[in-house]
Amino acid sequence: MAPIGFIGLGIMGTPMALNLLKAGHTLWVYGRRPETMTPLTAAGATACTSPTEVARHSDIIIVTVSDTPDVEQVIFGESGIIHGARVGAIVIDMSTISPTATQAFATRLHAMGVEMLDAPVSGGDVGAINATLSIMVGGQPEVFEQVKPLFEIMGKNIVYIGGHGAGQVAKACNQIVVAITMQAVAEALTFARKNETDPARVRAALMGGFAGSKILEVHGQRMLDHDFKPGFKARLHQKDLNNVLQTARELGLALPATALSMQNLNALVGRGEGDLDSSAVVTLVERIEGIVS
Amino acid sequence: MAPIGFIGLGIMGTPMALNLLKAGHTLWVYGRRPETMTPLTAAGATACTSPTEVARHSDIIIVTVSDTPDVEQVIFGESGIIHGARVGAIVIDMSTISPTATQAFATRLHAMGVEMLDAPVSGGDVGAINATLSIMVGGQPEVFEQVKPLFEIMGKNIVYIGGHGAGQVAKACNQIVVAITMQAVAEALTFARKNETDPARVRAALMGGFAGSKILEVHGQRMLDHDFKPGFKARLHQKDLNNVLQTARELGLALPATALSMQNLNALVGRGEGDLDSSAVVTLVERIEGIVS
């Protein structure tokens, strides 16, 4: 099997890389903090000192870092992928970043003979561990077909969306829907509570009908319990909606409910609760301050 | 079996009453427009000339009308239920109205020896026809137990929520979640389209994950097709959110996303599209004017 590079060994990247190792792949890994490489080298991967070194050894290089500037740095920076990549190599960016920046990165790489796919994921650390991630892919369809077996090792619902950036667009849509539905459930459960009606019974009654959603099921329960362990951190959700709203502004598109959700995430982060699960927005509807778990 | 009264023979009431007749119940019916009684009398019901007459013949009186003033009129008006009801009768209001008004009505009826349940439904005309409605019930638990077999003839997911008005609170929560989730899906699909990304593929990719909901499934498809046949009419959704926001104001509760949805429903109704399905809010995000199907 072709040697694979893996850059970015956070809460998502580490279990994804471990699943590739388990499937028998040879892995060259790099994490900014050296200690993040220990679980991987223990499982048989080879540690590298830079993205350049990862690229030198790999035909396919997977990137899972935080935001657009991180991806840019990892690919085009001083010790970036481009200084080691062979012609014909494939960069798979599984981070969640800007769709328009993704298109620009893909164009720059293509001019150097390197192909790129954007393949952001949804499903959280549990999905990464259990290899049940949803993976939304943008790029050339033939490149997608070539690396699809790798996606199938890391996830379950693998959907090819369209050209470069389309995977990031789909992920952005996911973050829009999740944030606003979270607000919907928060307002409904608080309305019930304020009316002295048991919000747990209301949640149960709503589950089977048109109001039913994964958010009502999972995050609705977290809101009832005031259990805001992430899950998905408010400050990362804030980062994603910031990308969405930047892109919407460029497109001349008004997204009022997305903007409202962004304001609530700003408020959470501003009061030092950015590391809580983003379902903590319910405390803003409830007007309960200073929940830090 | 005890004789049952049925008042309000609209798109919901008619199939619900027919299901009771099919189950073998004796029905005394009243509809403001006499022609609405024809399908019922053809199926064996007896037509009455007023709510008072219905009440004279019935131990249990079901009401399915439009809004709070209609329910008040049917129960307490000049030819209302109270002028014919026996002591020990039960009024079941299956309309969607104000929770606080419901509590007041129940108190007034109780003083006259008449019990009341609020039992609004969710599931639309299809649910009414197929007897698959969700029914959310408020009132005395022993009264609920007594009439539960009737609910089981008309619906499937029957949930006792709590005291008087609690059924209406649950239904209000349902309408909050449905309206805001509709906005979430509308913004996401429009974001995809504006990014020249296929919104149908995005919808498919989102369905299995945290963004998955009944609204994404059913109304997301309607938005893609621009098929706005109701379904549930925007002007009725507007009426429901108006009740929610009135109650929220009384409670000192801010519901910003509900208020945003209300504005969009106002805009739809204002441009003469109040009879479209409320998923037509997507046209406001798209800035497409004058869709009248």
Side-chain angles (χ1 to χ4, degrees), chain A residues 95-114:
Chain A
S95 324
T96 296
I97 68 164
S98 151
T100 44
T102 294
Q103 290 173 345
F105 296 165
T107 305
R108 283 174 71 185
L109 283 173
H110 184 76
M112 300 170 180
V114 174

Side-chain angles (χ1 to χ4, degrees), chain B residues 31-291:
Chain B
R32 227 173 355 184
R33 287 167 297 136
E35 68 275 19
T36 60
M37 294 190 272
T38 314
L40 278 302
T41 51
T46 308
C48 297
T49 57
S50 69
T52 306
E53 195 191 342
V54 170
R56 237 176 241 136
H57 295 284
S58 315
D59 296 322
I60 294 169
I61 304 128
I62 296 172
V63 178
T64 60
V65 293
S66 283
D67 203 354
T68 309
D70 308 298
V71 172
E72 184 163 29
Q73 179 69 20
V74 158
I75 301 178
F76 302 105
E78 214 171 291
S79 57
I81 289 169
I82 51 160
H83 306 297
R86 312 166 192 172
V87 168
I90 300 170
V91 172
I92 308 177
D93 177 27
M94 301 186 80
S95 325
T96 296
I97 69 164
S98 153
T100 44
T102 294
Q103 290 174 345
F105 296 165
T107 304
R108 282 173 72 184
L109 283 173
H110 184 76
M112 299 169 179
V114 174
E115 280 304 317
M116 181 175 171
L117 292 177
D118 48 301
V121 303
S122 152
D125 55 334
V126 173
I129 292 164
N130 299 335
T132 56
L133 292 170
S134 287
I135 308 180
M136 295 152 263
V137 189
Q140 297 297 326
E142 58 276 14
V143 178
F144 168 68
E145 288 304 328
Q146 193 182 334
V147 304
K148 203 176 166 192
L150 294 182
F151 291 141
E152 286 165 344
I153 294 166
M154 295 181 284
K156 215 173 55 172
N157 186 27
I158 322 291
V159 186
Y160 176 77
I161 309 283
H164 294 296
Q168 295 296 350
V169 170
K171 178 67 189 286
C173 292
N174 189 81
Q175 302 305 74
I176 291 170
V177 172
V178 167
I180 301 174
T181 310
M182 208 90 92
Q183 181 71 18
V185 172
E187 293 194 10
L189 296 181
T190 306
F191 184 77
R193 212 176 41 75
K194 276 272 191 177
N195 275 282
E196 289 169 15
T197 300
D198 181 0
R201 283 190 189 221
V202 169
R203 174 179 162 280
L206 266 50
M207 206 90 98
F210 277 135
S213 68
K214 196 79 185 164
I215 296 293
L216 180 68
E217 188 190 329
V218 176
H219 301 80
Q221 189 60 51
R222 286 183 196 165
M223 290 178 194
L224 291 177
D225 300 339
H226 268 223
D227 173 10
F228 303 127
K229 283 192 304 288
F232 185 64
K233 291 180 181 178
R235 64 179 171 77
L236 296 178
H237 213 152
Q238 181 195 38
K239 171 208 69 141
D240 292 348
L241 292 196
N242 188 45
N243 277 331
V244 167
L245 290 171
Q246 280 295 115
T247 306
R249 193 175 64 79
E250 290 162 21
L251 293 168
L253 175 63
L255 298 177
T258 307
L260 188 157
S261 286
M262 178 76 184
Q263 297 308 308
N264 282 346
L265 292 165
N266 288 352
L268 271 187
V269 171
R271 69 188 199 191
E273 300 179 346
D275 282 332
L276 297 188
D277 189 70
S278 62
S279 58
V281 292
V282 74
T283 61
L284 298 171
V285 183
E286 294 169 337
R287 307 273 159 158
I288 294 174
E289 298 210 27
I291 309 267

Side-chain angles (χ1 to χ4, degrees), chain B residues 8-50:
Chain B
L9 300 166
I11 192 173
M12 297 297 287
T14 299
M16 289 161 72
L18 284 171
N19 283 333
L20 291 171
L21 278 171
K22 262 183 245 163
H25 284 282
T26 308
L27 243 63
W28 301 81
V29 300
Y30 173 75
R32 227 173 355 184
R33 287 167 297 136
E35 68 275 19
T36 60
M37 294 190 272
T38 314
L40 278 302
T41 51
T46 308
C48 297
T49 57
S50 69

